[in-house]
Amino acid sequence: MLSVVALAGGVGAARFLEGLVQVMPPEQLTVIVNTGDDMANFMGLYISPDVDIVTYTLAGIVDPKKGWGIKGDTFQALEVLNQLGFDTWFALGDQDLGTHLARTAMLQQGWPLSKATQVISKSLGVRCRIIPMTEQWVPTRIVTDVGLIHFEEYLVKRKAQDAVEDVIFDCIDSASPSPGVIEAIKTAEKIIVCPSNPIVSIGPILAVPGIKEAIMEVAAPCVGVSPIIGGKPVKGPADKLMEGKGFEVSAVGVAEIYKEFLDVLVIDKTDQPLAARIEERDVKAVVAQTLMTTLTRKRRLAQTVLKAAERQRPKS
Ligand code: GDP
């Protein structure tokens, strides 16, 4: 049976996965999601932003304009919090709050994060398997010119305005992959790196001890999609974070970050002139339309990625 593993962040990954589940049986897909963005105690709640974006998208209930939250959600609870004098910099919709309350209650009764994730996603009708990369809390913190701040604070509260000096994956060395992660990688026929932020979405997944090593060991081909098109991210601060970590902001920079284990990088047509520099890094470049503005484009990109994995012979 064909099995596919996808490494995913939030919005960019979810857009891609929406197409992928339409061109392969979703039951054969395992999505390993970044939890470096998680907030363990925000207003008393455990919030897992990337897991929720992927879950809501694959359940068909995501707000399509924002790419996060639930379509048609209201924000009345947040308004009350505001009136009561709380700093409501992280928007939580009323329906969305239901998810956070449920997850927090499950964790408080002793369930591991992966079980809570599975129960929520199955209840919402998601047919593929969504696994958080780890069950330990491993917050991504950004070293900025104003100090060390949690990634969500950097992104949402401070709107990515601060100069990035470094990125830290707190407690990652003592974390272990969630149950099922290594098994899924070991039995996968294809491994996909979604078009996600390579530093703060895919970076933490690869930093969980054992995950990158498992990907490097298996024979399954690994294909990525560049989130950088024409030297810029489609959305979000990937440019600032790549720069902060000393990488070129381009599809070449993405190939440089993944070159240890990546066989193929799907790059946008705009970036065709970069193909030779990518291939110098022993990563094959496949050129395609990678801007996922419609469902048809998402589907086509997913098909291109699956085909690229078929044609690819694994790195020896
Ligand atoms: P986040 O955690 O919500 O920021 O989500 P991700 O890390 O999964 O996605 C952010 C990345 O997705 C950004 O670097 C974007 O450039 C990329 N992205 C968003 N939409 C598209 C798209 O249509 N095509 C490509 N190639 N990348 C995209």
Side-chain angles (χ1 to χ4, degrees), residues 8-15 34 37 49-50 53 67-68 151-152 155 194-198 200-202 225-229 232-239 266 268 290-293 301:
V11 177
R15 282 184 182 158
N34 169 43
D37 296 5
D50 283 353
I53 289 168
W68 52 267
F151 175 70
E152 289 298 337
L155 180 71
C194 292
S196 288
N197 188 316
V200 292
S201 292
I202 303 299
V225 180
S226 173
I228 306 293
I229 302 180
K232 288 195 292 264
V234 179
K235 195 173 167 275
D239 48 351
V266 178
D268 197 74
T290 70
L291 198 58
M292 299 176 287
T293 43
L301 181 58

